[in-house]
Structure formats: C-alpha cells, structure tokens
Amino acid sequence: MHPFRKAVEARDAEAIEALLADNVVFTSPVAFKPYPGKAITAAILRGVMRVFEDFTYVKEIGAPDAADHALVFETTVAGKRITGCDFLHLDADGKIDEFTVMVRPLSGAQALAEAMAAQFEQIQREAVAQIEREAAAAEQ
C-alpha cells in the first residue's frame, strides 16, 4: 500500500503533510490554476477530508518503487457519488511534488466545487498561519 493511501485512510493529516515536498504543486479538479507549495496543499487536503463522506480508495496503480502512482477513489459529497483519481509524482527524495486530482461525474465535480468553496476561507487561513510559523522558526 502506498504511504499516502495509508495516511489518507487513517485520516492522519500530519502524516499526509509529511509526505509532501516543499515545492509540491496541487492541481485541483475544480480550479483553473494549480496551487504551488506545501502549506496550501496540506490545507486543501485537510479541507477535502472535511467534505468527503465515506471516502475509500478502490485501486492503486504503480509499482512500489515507481515515481508515478494513481490512486482511484470513491466518495460522496453533498449526496453526490464521486469516482476520482489522485495522480502522484514523487521526487528523488520520495516526497510528492506533483499532485493532480480528477473526478467524475460532472454533478459530483460541481458538488465538490461548492463544498470546497465553502471551505476556502479556512483553507487560506490555515495556509497563511503555517507559512508564518515556518518563517518565524527560520528566523530563530
């Protein structure tokens, strides 16, 4: 089992964040522009854990030592059933540096977009707070 899958299934936000590279780029299924950086990606993933209901991975594609992995999932958001896939690319250190999510059907993607829009103010606050904590720690 891929370590990211294990962390997500355990709902372990700290373990998920530890698997992200500092320069990770998150590409959302419902936003036009990618989100660069660990702080915003970790905050988005925490938001996703708040809106996904009955989340489960159903398939893993990729050899254990490969740089690219696909994790197929099923979940529900606001009563809409969603099938999706997390596409992960690992850097030389084994950290996730590219994270792309795709979902279907359109009604599920729309429900996800609405649910995440409701989360986005909190996501931004969490990301800014993390960046500020890291900057303060670097100054010491």
Side-chain angles (χ1 to χ4, degrees), residues 41-124:
T41 300
I44 289 169
L45 294 175
R46 287 190 299 272
V48 166
M49 286 196 300
R50 291 188 293 267
V51 302
F52 278 0
E53 306 159 23
D54 66 356
F55 179 91
T56 185
Y57 282 114
V58 295
K59 186 185 295 186
E60 228 178 281
I61 303 166
D65 60 344
D68 293 293
H69 298 269
L71 305 175
V72 181
F73 64 84
E74 293 178 349
T75 192
T76 303
V77 174
K80 301 291 182 183
R81 197 74 189 135
I82 295 173
T83 300
C85 191
D86 292 336
F87 294 97
L88 310 176
H89 180 271
L90 307 181
D91 65 14
D93 296 324
K95 300 280 187 174
I96 300 167
D97 64 354
E98 293 175 25
F99 191 129
T100 300
V101 181
M102 294 188 180
V103 298
R104 66 160 307 282
L106 179 59
S107 60
Q110 290 168 327
L112 178 59
E114 290 172 15
M116 290 305 291
Q119 293 284 318
F120 216 76
E121 191 173 302
Q122 181 176 349
I123 289 168
Q124 287 179 311

Side-chain angles (χ1 to χ4, degrees), residues 13-30:
E14 288 181 19
I16 292 168
E17 186 172 338
L19 294 167
L20 301 175
D22 289 340
N23 64 337
V24 63
V25 175
F26 180 81
T27 304
S28 165
V30 295

